[in-house]
Amino acid sequence: MIRRLRETWRRLRLGTRLALGLGALALVVFAVVGTALTTYMRDYLSAQLDDQLGLAQTAQSKSIVANGTLQGKKYYRWYYAVYDVKDGIPVLRKPEESSDLPSDIGDLTAVARAQIAEGTEVLRTRDLTGEGEFRLRGCEVEPGVVLVSGAPMDAINDTVRQLVIIQVVAFGLALLALVVLGRRLLRRGLQPLSDMAHTAHGIASHDLTESAARLPLRADERGGGPEVEELRTAFNTMLEHIDDSLAVRAEAEQRLRRFVADASHELRTPLMSVRGYADLFQYAAANVPEERDRHLARLRAEAARMGILLDDLLLLARLDAADVETPLRPEDADLAELVEQAADAFRAGHPDHPLTVALGERPVRLRVDPVRIRQVLDNLLTNAAVHTPAGTAVSVTLSVAGGMASVRVADAGPGIPKDDRARVFDRFYRVDKARSRDRGGSGLGLAVARSLARAHGGSVELASESGATVFTVTIPLGAAPAR
């Protein structure tokens, strides 16, 4: 039974449970107040009756002393007993009227004995047989004479009973109104929480597996007090974070799909070439020495290009997982010397692009991986040569400021279209989609350059306008590579 009640209680809504709890608390308060009020009223009426008994006995005692009788000093339904004391024992004096005494005078006699023993007024409440509850008072009229009077308590009991009934009815109605109105007020106050619960249900039913999944739901209802406002703000902030996470996830999924598709496409071409030349050798179509050497050279070129592509992919993967394994081997190096070496290699490989080098103060000591820094510089210079026509001037400028070393690689080419600038560092992205892979590269050079610069704690930034493209590599002086 108790277990069933507990389960029923748990299934109730929060507003109902709060209202019932408030009603139970109010019931306890009403019970305490009603008990205190009833007790106080009964004691107050009893004290008044005691005073009335005392005043009546004072007048009756004077009448007994003066006239030896109680005539003219009696009250309706009151009992009177006069005792003569002989040797400490009360002896009942014959009553003037038979109605002065109850059918059983044992309680009155007990009060007389108590008065004789204590020597002062005695008050007792007794239930007289067949008569009801009476308030008895015994006092000494004169030496050797004791008067015991009894007043009915029916009026007091009736008053207290009516008071209890009024309290029960009034408190019951107040309790009912408190529960009903309190439930409505609590429901209105908890309405924002219900709205947030409906919003959460809506989110739970929303398909979050979609690539572009967003959460259009928000808890917009106002009210409920500062606490509910704080909860609503935290709830909506959480939804915003979820939205941002979903957007990042969708973007990452799109980039991953694009990366896999581009990588597959890039690898497919050399693999198809290798397969084709292998078929030629298999069917003896390239047994002429000149043809065989030409096809072998082509096979080596395709394998080399595929090896470079795989090396770049492996390097990017290792840079992405730098927390586990860093691909850098830092040592002290002179950045000016590295720039000179990259410039010499560029002049040898691209004699049709005039190169200007400005090194400024040297040496520029850094703790970097010199091989990887050379790779960054080579990629940027090669990018300037590949994407500009022959005869385009290229410049390299080295400067130091604010604890940072900067290498500025600029060309006087046509620049990068505005729509493509935000994606030039994406993997496998090409500005010129029609450019052949032999001339345009794999689209990983700038991605590798930026990742390597970030691994050293620096960055690669692009500034492109019509007639100029500028890449700036920034590396902190003396800083250890970022792990």
Side-chain angles (χ1 to χ4, degrees):
M1 182 65 181
I2 297 178
R3 186 176 182 180
R4 186 179 301 174
L5 290 176
R6 288 179 178 176
E7 293 178 356
T8 303
W9 174 260
R10 293 192 185 101
R11 286 196 296 267
L12 294 177
R13 296 183 65 84
L14 178 60
T16 303
R17 291 162 65 176
L18 289 175
L20 292 177
L22 184 62
L25 180 62
L27 182 61
V28 173
V29 173
F30 289 162
V32 172
V33 172
T35 302
L37 182 60
T38 302
T39 302
Y40 172 78
M41 181 60 68
R42 187 179 183 86
D43 293 342
Y44 175 75
L45 295 177
S46 297
Q48 282 191 327
L49 183 60
D50 292 342
D51 293 340
Q52 187 177 1
L53 276 171
L55 292 175
Q57 284 190 332
T58 301
Q60 291 167 352
S61 298
K62 293 179 180 179
S63 177
I64 292 173
V65 171
N67 304 319
T69 180
L70 291 174
Q71 291 182 356
K73 303 297 182 180
K74 300 178 182 180
Y75 295 90
Y76 176 70
R77 289 197 61 205
W78 283 37
Y79 293 127
Y80 307 97
V82 180
Y83 292 90
D84 295 318
V85 181
K86 295 181 179 179
D87 299 328
I89 298 174
V91 178
L92 179 64
R93 184 182 296 182
K94 183 179 179 180
E96 298 177 354
E97 297 178 4
S98 58
S99 59
D100 289 347
L101 295 176
S103 57
D104 185 1
I105 64 170
D107 292 323
L108 278 70
T109 304
V111 171
R113 290 197 186 97
Q115 195 283 328
I116 295 172
E118 297 179 11
T120 184
E121 293 82 1
V122 175
L123 288 168
R124 299 285 187 273
T125 300
R126 294 290 185 268
D127 189 1
L128 303 183
T129 304
E131 301 292 338
E133 197 173 26
F134 275 71
R135 186 70 169 170
L136 304 179
R137 185 177 189 274
C139 68
E140 186 180 42
V141 175
E142 59 182 352
V145 180
V146 174
L147 172 64
V148 179
S149 301
M153 299 185 66
D154 295 345
I156 295 178
N157 293 333
D158 291 341
T159 302
V160 171
R161 190 178 300 110
Q162 291 178 4
L163 178 61
V164 170
I165 293 174
I166 293 173
Q167 288 177 350
V168 169
V169 173
F171 289 165
L173 293 176
L175 182 62
L176 179 62
L178 179 63
V179 172
V180 174
L181 296 179
R183 177 69 183 92
R184 291 184 179 180
L185 292 175
L186 287 172
R187 179 179 297 177
R188 180 176 298 178
L190 296 175
Q191 185 61 40
L193 297 181
S194 299
D195 294 336
M196 281 185 270
H198 290 308
T199 302
H201 285 304
I203 294 171
S205 62
H206 192 69
D207 187 7
L208 299 180
T209 61
E210 300 176 359
S211 298
R214 299 289 292 178
L215 299 177
L217 302 175
R218 292 293 185 274
D220 297 326
E221 294 293 332
R222 297 298 173 185
E227 295 82 2
V228 177
E229 287 291 339
E230 292 177 4
L231 178 60
R232 182 186 296 106
T233 301
F235 186 76
N236 288 334
T237 303
M238 179 191 67
L239 294 182
E240 291 293 338
H241 288 323
I242 294 176
D243 261 353
D244 294 340
S245 300
L246 290 175
V248 171
R249 187 192 71 174
E251 182 181 357
E253 290 178 353
Q254 292 294 335
R255 293 178 60 185
L256 179 61
R257 292 192 185 100
R258 189 166 57 248
F259 177 82
V260 172
D262 292 340
S264 301
H265 189 67
E266 293 293 334
L267 290 173
R268 182 174 180 272
T269 299
L271 286 175
M272 291 298 294
S273 298
V274 171
R275 181 183 296 176
Y277 289 117
D279 290 342
L280 287 176
F281 283 104
Q282 180 180 2
Y283 295 106
N287 290 331
V288 179
E290 294 80 3
E291 289 290 326
R292 184 173 61 250
D293 292 340
R294 186 168 63 87
H295 293 324
L296 286 175
R298 186 62 181 174
L299 275 173
R300 282 193 295 270
E302 293 294 338
R305 188 160 69 88
M306 189 163 51
I308 293 174
L309 177 62
L310 292 176
D311 287 342
D312 287 342
L313 288 174
L314 178 61
L315 176 60
L316 289 172
R318 294 176 65 188
L319 289 172
D320 291 340
D323 291 338
V324 179
E325 178 185 6
T326 177
L328 303 181
R329 294 177 174 85
E331 60 183 69
D332 293 333
D334 182 6
L335 183 58
E337 182 179 348
L338 296 177
V339 171
E340 281 187 339
Q341 295 173 2
D344 293 340
F346 179 80
R347 291 190 182 99
H350 304 278
D352 55 345
H353 284 74
L355 177 65
T356 303
V357 180
L359 298 179
E361 297 183 2
R362 54 182 308 178
V364 180
R365 306 302 300 180
L366 297 173
R367 183 166 181 79
V368 295
D369 185 337
V371 176
R372 297 306 183 186
I373 294 299
R374 267 294 308 274
Q375 186 175 359
V376 172
L377 298 175
D378 291 342
N379 285 357
L380 294 178
L381 288 170
T382 301
N383 182 77
V386 170
H387 295 285
T388 58
T392 303
V394 180
S395 64
V396 179
T397 304
L398 174 61
S399 61
V400 178
M404 304 291 289
S406 299
V407 180
R408 183 176 180 270
V409 179
D411 64 68
I416 299 175
K418 184 176 181 180
D419 295 338
D420 294 317
R421 294 173 191 171
R423 296 191 57 192
V424 293
F425 292 103
D426 289 352
R427 300 171 187 183
F428 295 112
Y429 184 78
R430 293 187 184 89
V431 175
D432 187 359
K433 309 297 188 300
R435 184 180 294 273
S436 68
R437 290 176 176 81
D438 292 335
R439 294 192 59 198
S442 64
L444 292 176
L446 293 179
V448 171
R450 169 171 277 191
S451 296
L452 286 173
R454 287 180 175 175
H456 285 85
S459 63
V460 177
E461 302 297 335
L462 166 65
S464 180
E465 297 178 358
S466 179
T469 300
V470 180
F471 287 94
T472 303
V473 183
T474 304
I475 301 174
L477 292 174
R483 294 295 296 246

